[in-house]
Amino acid sequence: MLHSDRRHFVPGEDILGHERGFERMRLAHPQLPSPAKWKCMANGENEEFGTVDASGRVFELRRNSSGTYESSVIMDSVSVVATSDYSTEFGNGSSYAWHQIDASGCGSNSPSSRVNHVVLRNYHIPAKRTEIQSQIVAMVQSGQDMMRIPIYHAHCGAVPAGDSYGNGTCTAPSRHNSSSSASDSGQLPDTVKQNLKDLIEFSFSQGMRTVLVGFFPGHANRVIDWSSIPSDLLEENWSVIKSTRDYVDGNLSVPQGKKVLWELGNEMVPAPNLANASVRIDYMSEIWSRWVSFYGASDSVGFSIISSSTWHIENRIPYIESIYEPTYPLAIDLHLYGCPGTVDASCREDVMYVAAREVLDDLGLDHLPIAIGESFYNDAAASENIKLGVSIVNELPLYAIQWVRSRGAVTNCFIAPPSDTELDIF
């Protein structure tokens, strides 16, 4: 049996060919126009051949050495194997920040519809825990095996008396109205850390195989709003990241076959037209350097990248050299939000996916995988477009996750619980 590199695996037809010794040829996705492109998978490389029509061709198996062949044999037959396996390395799933969204808040740019329903702030409350657990079970039953847990935190000021949840909520009177927990001490509240650990454990027990923990600093800690780096808030953000990671490492036993991944900052990678681009780069570079020195790079995707067109792909991805060099993360986490319809091809998920691969290859980072950290909720077009992009570049994402917002919905008009998905093929 020939070896298959899962990262480059694409549903299609496998053909043994004759171009460069003992090689594996691939026909791309059957949705593409005929004749199809062939892909060579010799020695783990992914080399694209020209567009050819295989009809009437003679197939030959060669043994090669130093660029020449020593012997060959004409093949009596060629076996064609079809498969529909799109299985990614880490799975598909949803971002899961809130267990309920109030209808009154939908349609406005206000967080009031969800601030009382933050999963990490409520999981220890018996009635809420029952509700949250039932939603996780529903996610697994819908075909999801990965979950992204956003951690919202901010410098909120002193926690007022009577904060009965004990979770440092930033929603008490005269304080920020948000999903954030207080991080003034440089740590998440003990209850929130315990809830995170318990939530991951329960998710694994129900069939989730990967949990991605993501950091969402808000308010004064919100890096994308900084015009310069306030050293105290940089230290607070780093302390939250490190103390949370250390708590999980010290208190959670990850079962065999399961994985906890880490996202160090949501959608922080800038575009060059932003005045504070250099501030963001300096912040991320500093945080990444510290992370690598403590934990290495094998279980982090670094900082995610938002994209709604190829312009974002072409202008944001090149910054990763300044952020990560010389040690790159596990993958580049892209948030792909395509436009409605197909009028503007530059904003389709498939076109953006292909563009991302091309930009990475041009940077000499052909070895760096792509992951999809956000896409529209339960969106058939997004799923089909992602599959098409995958087929064109012959490379699966490491994972595919949906955000709880429908295509065309008003900003901050979210959906909960996230039990349905069109990404279950991944």
Side-chain angles (χ1 to χ4, degrees):
M1 178 178 292
L2 293 177
H3 172 69
S4 172
D5 181 347
R6 167 169 277 192
R7 186 167 77 85
H8 292 285
F9 185 81
V10 175
E13 297 173 311
D14 295 346
I15 299 177
L16 293 179
H18 69 290
E19 291 292 341
R20 284 173 47 204
F22 190 70
E23 301 177 330
R24 187 170 194 164
M25 308 290 284
R26 295 188 182 277
L27 286 178
H29 196 279
Q31 289 181 348
L32 297 178
S34 181
K37 290 182 178 179
W38 294 19
K39 299 284 186 175
C40 172
M41 291 298 295
N43 300 321
E45 297 179 356
N46 184 15
E47 179 177 338
E48 182 174 316
F49 283 73
T51 301
V52 296
D53 186 344
S55 60
R57 293 207 170 214
V58 175
F59 289 87
E60 182 179 6
L61 185 63
R62 293 181 177 181
R63 180 169 182 260
N64 72 325
S65 175
S66 302
T68 62
Y69 72 91
E70 300 172 349
S71 61
S72 66
V73 60
I74 302 299
M75 299 174 68
D76 293 328
S77 63
V78 176
S79 297
V80 177
V81 180
T83 179
S84 59
D85 182 12
Y86 276 93
S87 298
T88 60
E89 183 168 345
F90 294 112
N92 83 91
S94 299
S95 288
Y96 187 47
W98 310 280
H99 56 89
Q100 182 179 328
I101 301 292
D102 296 335
S104 60
C106 190
S108 64
N109 192 22
S110 167
S112 60
S113 61
R114 57 191 185 274
V115 294
N116 294 320
H117 312 300
V118 179
V119 171
L120 285 182
R121 289 209 305 242
N122 291 348
Y123 189 61
H124 62 292
I125 303 170
K128 304 294 185 182
R129 177 177 290 232
T130 298
E131 180 183 26
I132 291 166
Q133 290 182 344
S134 68
Q135 292 173 3
I136 293 172
V137 170
M139 285 186 236
V140 174
Q141 291 175 344
S142 74
Q144 301 180 52
D145 53 5
M146 182 174 183
M147 184 167 65
R148 178 183 183 225
I149 304 176
I151 295 179
Y152 291 88
H153 73 89
H155 196 90
C156 298
V159 177
D163 183 8
S164 58
Y165 283 180
N167 57 16
T169 173
C170 287
T171 58
S174 75
R175 303 173 75 218
H176 301 300
N177 185 25
S178 75
S179 296
S180 297
S181 292
S183 59
D184 304 47
S185 66
Q187 298 200 33
L188 296 173
D190 290 343
T191 301
V192 174
K193 289 189 291 186
Q194 178 73 43
N195 285 348
L196 174 64
K197 175 255 187 187
D198 291 348
L199 187 65
I200 296 173
E201 281 185 339
F202 180 80
S203 299
F204 284 157
S205 74
Q206 298 305 303
M208 294 286 182
R209 58 191 177 102
T210 309
V211 172
L212 173 62
V213 180
F215 293 94
F216 288 59
H219 305 297
N221 301 65
R222 184 176 157 95
V223 179
I224 64 175
D225 293 335
W226 289 354
S227 58
S228 61
I229 297 179
S231 59
D232 57 335
L233 293 178
L234 182 150
E235 295 302 332
E236 182 176 315
N237 286 356
W238 167 246
S239 182
V240 169
I241 291 170
K242 185 177 187 303
S243 62
T244 302
R245 169 67 190 259
D246 290 346
Y247 181 89
V248 170
D249 284 353
N251 293 277
L252 175 68
S253 178
V254 179
Q256 186 175 3
K258 309 291 186 178
K259 189 75 173 179
V260 178
L261 302 178
W262 299 86
E263 176 190 358
L264 306 185
N266 179 62
E267 297 179 354
M268 287 185 185
V269 179
N273 61 335
L274 298 174
N276 68 346
S278 62
V279 173
R280 294 199 203 185
I281 298 301
D282 289 346
Y283 170 85
M284 288 183 284
S285 178
E286 176 64 22
I287 295 296
W288 179 248
S289 176
R290 296 185 188 189
W291 176 273
V292 171
S293 68
F294 279 98
Y295 310 112
S298 64
D299 59 3
S300 175
V301 294
F303 305 87
S304 54
I305 302 174
I306 180 69
S307 177
S308 57
S309 73
T310 54
W311 184 92
H312 293 277
I313 295 292
E314 294 163 357
N315 286 278
R316 293 180 188 267
I317 288 182
Y319 278 122
I320 67 176
E321 290 184 303
S322 299
I323 297 168
Y324 302 119
E325 181 69 29
T327 306
Y328 285 85
L330 175 67
I332 296 303
D333 184 294
L334 298 179
H335 295 179
L336 297 184
Y337 288 104
C339 55
T342 58
V343 176
D344 184 358
S346 71
C347 64
R348 290 204 318 257
E349 290 89 349
D350 57 309
V351 178
M352 289 188 283
Y353 193 90
V354 173
R357 184 70 271 159
E358 291 175 346
V359 171
L360 288 169
D361 290 353
D362 288 345
L363 293 172
L365 299 173
D366 54 305
H367 63 283
L368 192 60
I370 297 170
I372 299 176
E374 287 186 17
S375 60
F376 283 122
Y377 174 77
N378 198 29
D379 192 289
S383 179
E384 287 302 313
N385 286 341
I386 292 169
K387 286 192 294 182
L388 181 57
V390 162
S391 72
I392 293 171
V393 301
N394 199 20
E395 176 185 340
L396 283 164
L398 286 193
Y399 53 77
I401 300 175
Q402 64 183 5
W403 183 253
V404 286
R405 181 187 174 195
S406 297
R407 191 188 301 262
V410 176
T411 301
N412 282 338
C413 184
F414 295 153
I415 299 162
S419 58
D420 298 319
T421 184
E422 287 283 345
L423 296 176
D424 54 337
I425 191 170
F426 296 108

